[in-house]
Structure formats: C-alpha cells, structure tokens
Amino acid sequence: MTKTAKSALLSELEKSLSDNDYQTVLASGNKVTAFLVDVMANVRKLRMKGLSTFGDLGNSLICMVRKNATNADRIDLVFDSYQAGTIKDSERERRCSVQPIEVDVINSTYH
C-alpha cells in the first residue's frame, strides 16, 4: 500500500472546477476565496480547559475558523475518518502513544 498526500484532495477538488469558477483579482484587490478546514487538526489546536459540553467545543471551533477565514466567501469543513484496515488507520496506530477514543457514527436522514 502507498500513502496519498493531503494535497491530493486539492487536486481532486480542482478537477471539478469550470473556467467560471476561477476568479481574477478585482480592481480593489479583493479576491473571491474559499477556506478549507481540516476539522480534526483544528480540534487538536483548541484549548479544552473550560469546555464542558460538545456545544462549547463546536462554538470554540467555529470561532477559530471564522477568525482565520474572515474574508472567505466559502468555508469547507473536511472530516477524516479512520476505517479499519486502511493505511490511515495503521499509521494512526503506529503514531499513537495512548489508547484512542473511538466514535461510532450513526447514519440518519434529517428533514
């Protein structure tokens, strides 16, 4: 098995763009921008002291993202998952110094 670079995500996203998706710099110097957020990488940067609920964690994360993406016209959140038997899972296990917290995702349909 071989590892893929995170930059492969950007290449895949760019494949779906049309000529109309590319914007040039406007006379005022403003650009139309997108901001990609690696959610788990940013959650690890948060100070957990004082956060007692999942809502507190979510609000803290959104505040951090909005602070860094102040001029973004679009914000995309990227969530990673670790599927058993994948390169990513084995790499996580190799790097892990403590027992990870496992979360089971329940798929639901919201109306």
Side-chain angles (χ1 to χ4, degrees):
M1 286 197 246
T2 59
K3 297 180 190 178
T4 58
K6 285 190 176 185
S7 62
L9 173 61
L10 182 60
S11 297
E12 287 300 313
L13 290 172
E14 287 179 330
K15 287 179 185 177
S16 66
L17 295 176
S18 70
D19 290 339
N20 293 333
D21 292 321
Y22 290 95
Q23 300 289 325
T24 57
V25 178
L26 303 174
S28 64
N30 294 330
K31 295 180 183 179
V32 176
T33 61
F35 193 78
L36 274 171
V37 179
D38 181 335
V39 174
M40 287 311 300
N42 283 283
V43 165
R44 290 182 189 107
K45 293 178 187 176
L46 292 175
R47 298 181 79 191
M48 295 297 163
K49 188 174 184 179
L51 303 179
S52 58
T53 67
F54 185 74
D56 292 341
L57 176 73
N59 287 334
S60 185
L61 176 65
I62 293 301
C63 286
M64 180 197 322
V65 169
R66 290 184 70 187
K67 180 180 175 184
N68 288 296
T70 54
N71 295 321
D73 296 296
R74 172 182 172 159
I75 300 172
D76 294 304
L77 304 176
V78 178
F79 293 86
D80 288 341
S81 61
Y82 295 97
Q83 298 174 352
T86 63
I87 293 172
K88 190 169 192 170
D89 181 53
S90 61
E91 186 69 16
R92 177 185 56 84
E93 286 179 13
R94 185 183 69 78
R95 293 180 182 178
C96 190
S97 60
V98 296
Q99 186 66 25
I101 298 171
E102 293 192 18
V103 177
D104 290 325
V105 177
I106 300 171
N107 293 325
S108 299
T109 303
Y110 295 95
H111 299 281

